[in-house]
Amino acid sequence: MPEDEPDSPAQSLRTLIPEYACLARETVLLNPEPGLPDPRESSLGGKPLWPADEPWPYCAQEDHWTLGSNLPTEIVAGTVPMVPILQLFARDVPALEFPAGKDLLQLVWCALMHEHDDRLLVMPQLYWRNEAELMTDGLLSEIPIARKGEFDEYNMPQPSTLSPTIAEDYPRWLDLPEGMRETWEPRFRTPTGQTIWPPDSNLIGTKAGGWPAWTQPADWPDCACGHRMEHLLTITGDIQLGDCGGVYFFLCRRCSDLPWDWRYDCH
């Protein structure tokens, strides 16, 4: 096949469409590797620093369950501890903007199944903290661990250290504005009238900043004030999450209280 054909493996949206190259954003690929992270290290699934005066969170959802041996088992609300998912220190991800006075991002979620909008989801909580204040005020001595039957294996991370690297990221082609897709579509029509989209340059993996690594059409949230939120985190590939899905976190920096939201999708 000639190299200038749109569906040639040597070509991509970034090389074929100059306007697409202008959509580049900086992202931090977190590159988890199985290991034994220290609580004072950035990690996926590691034990986090947690303030002594703040109780560890438990899932308060009424409708959560585990499939167990392929049979759903309902769990009493408020009895299941959240699972540590991600801990990021600002020193390890200088490309990620932290709120003023904060240098630690922590993410936990309930690793059971929760039904929402006909989808089975995890239930997350996100925290911004200051490391020095944590160390001065004291740390929680024990982090409760979810026991067998209190999590779904697909939603559990393997404790991993992180090796962040900065890269250029681009949107999935399904994340392009509809008008832009319609404008570009004629460029990718074959002589038979078929439209063949070339590969995009979206980076698939657990990352901070950049563009979401959607597996389904984009679903960006707005904050309560109507501002479209910015992408904060994608977690995908390093946790099974059902049928190879992802969890995407978003933040509104235009609102003083920094509201956040999240989305989930899978194949």
Side-chain angles (χ1 to χ4, degrees), residues 91-103:
R91 59 177 175 268
D92 295 324
V93 285
L96 179 65
E97 180 184 355
F98 279 65
K102 306 297 182 183
D103 58 6

Side-chain angles (χ1 to χ4, degrees), residues 1-262:
M1 180 180 297
E3 287 190 0
D4 58 355
E5 286 292 323
D7 51 340
S8 168
Q11 300 293 310
S12 69
L13 276 177
R14 183 163 53 91
T15 56
L16 289 169
I17 303 294
E19 304 97 297
Y20 183 73
C22 296
L23 298 176
R25 291 181 181 176
E26 190 173 70
T27 191
V28 182
L29 293 171
L30 299 181
N31 302 312
E33 289 290 339
L36 297 174
D38 185 90
R40 298 196 70 174
E41 292 180 333
S42 294
S43 65
L44 178 77
K47 181 180 178 181
L49 300 180
W50 201 265
D53 60 354
E54 183 177 325
W56 183 258
Y58 283 69
C59 184
Q61 293 292 314
E62 297 285 349
D63 57 345
H64 60 191
W65 69 91
T66 177
L67 294 178
S69 300
N70 298 321
L71 295 174
T73 301
E74 293 186 6
I75 310 296
V76 177
T79 65
V80 176
M82 295 281 200
V83 172
I85 300 300
L86 188 65
Q87 177 168 263
L88 286 180
F89 290 91
R91 59 177 175 268
D92 295 324
V93 285
L96 179 65
E97 180 184 355
F98 279 65
K102 306 297 182 183
D103 58 6
L104 177 59
L105 169 62
Q106 294 175 324
L107 174 68
V108 301
W109 68 40
C110 177
L112 290 169
M113 312 299 286
H114 308 75
E115 187 169 359
H116 180 70
D117 293 339
D118 297 324
R119 294 177 294 173
L120 302 181
L121 312 172
V122 297
M123 201 57 61
Q125 292 291 334
L126 188 147
Y127 305 85
W128 299 99
R129 304 193 190 279
N130 180 283
E131 182 184 7
E133 291 177 359
L134 278 174
M135 302 308 296
T136 299
D137 297 340
L139 302 173
L140 194 66
S141 58
E142 292 188 19
I143 303 296
I145 298 175
R147 300 167 298 179
K148 186 176 182 179
E150 295 181 336
F151 59 85
D152 188 278
E153 292 183 359
Y154 288 137
N155 299 334
M156 292 290 288
Q158 182 176 4
S160 301
T161 59
L162 304 180
S163 300
T165 57
I166 297 175
E168 276 194 342
D169 197 14
Y170 297 82
R172 296 293 308 274
W173 70 268
L174 284 171
D175 207 3
L176 299 174
E178 185 174 348
M180 186 177 292
R181 293 200 305 270
E182 292 175 351
T183 299
W184 293 353
E185 186 175 4
R187 306 189 198 184
F188 304 128
R189 287 184 188 147
T190 66
T192 61
Q194 182 183 10
T195 300
I196 301 178
W197 277 82
D200 57 53
S201 297
N202 181 250
L203 298 176
I204 308 298
T206 296
K207 59 187 177 181
W211 292 87
W214 307 107
T215 59
Q216 299 290 336
D219 183 20
W220 290 77
D222 293 333
C223 72
C225 295
H227 306 140
R228 174 165 148 162
M229 294 186 172
E230 67 179 70
H231 173 244
L232 178 65
L233 298 168
T234 281
I235 297 180
T236 188
D238 302 293
I239 305 176
Q240 181 66 30
L241 294 168
D243 185 12
C244 299
V247 185
Y248 317 97
F249 294 87
F250 303 85
L251 182 73
C252 180
R253 299 186 189 274
R254 297 171 66 182
C255 293
S256 59
D257 58 343
L258 297 177
W260 63 276
D261 205 345
W262 60 284

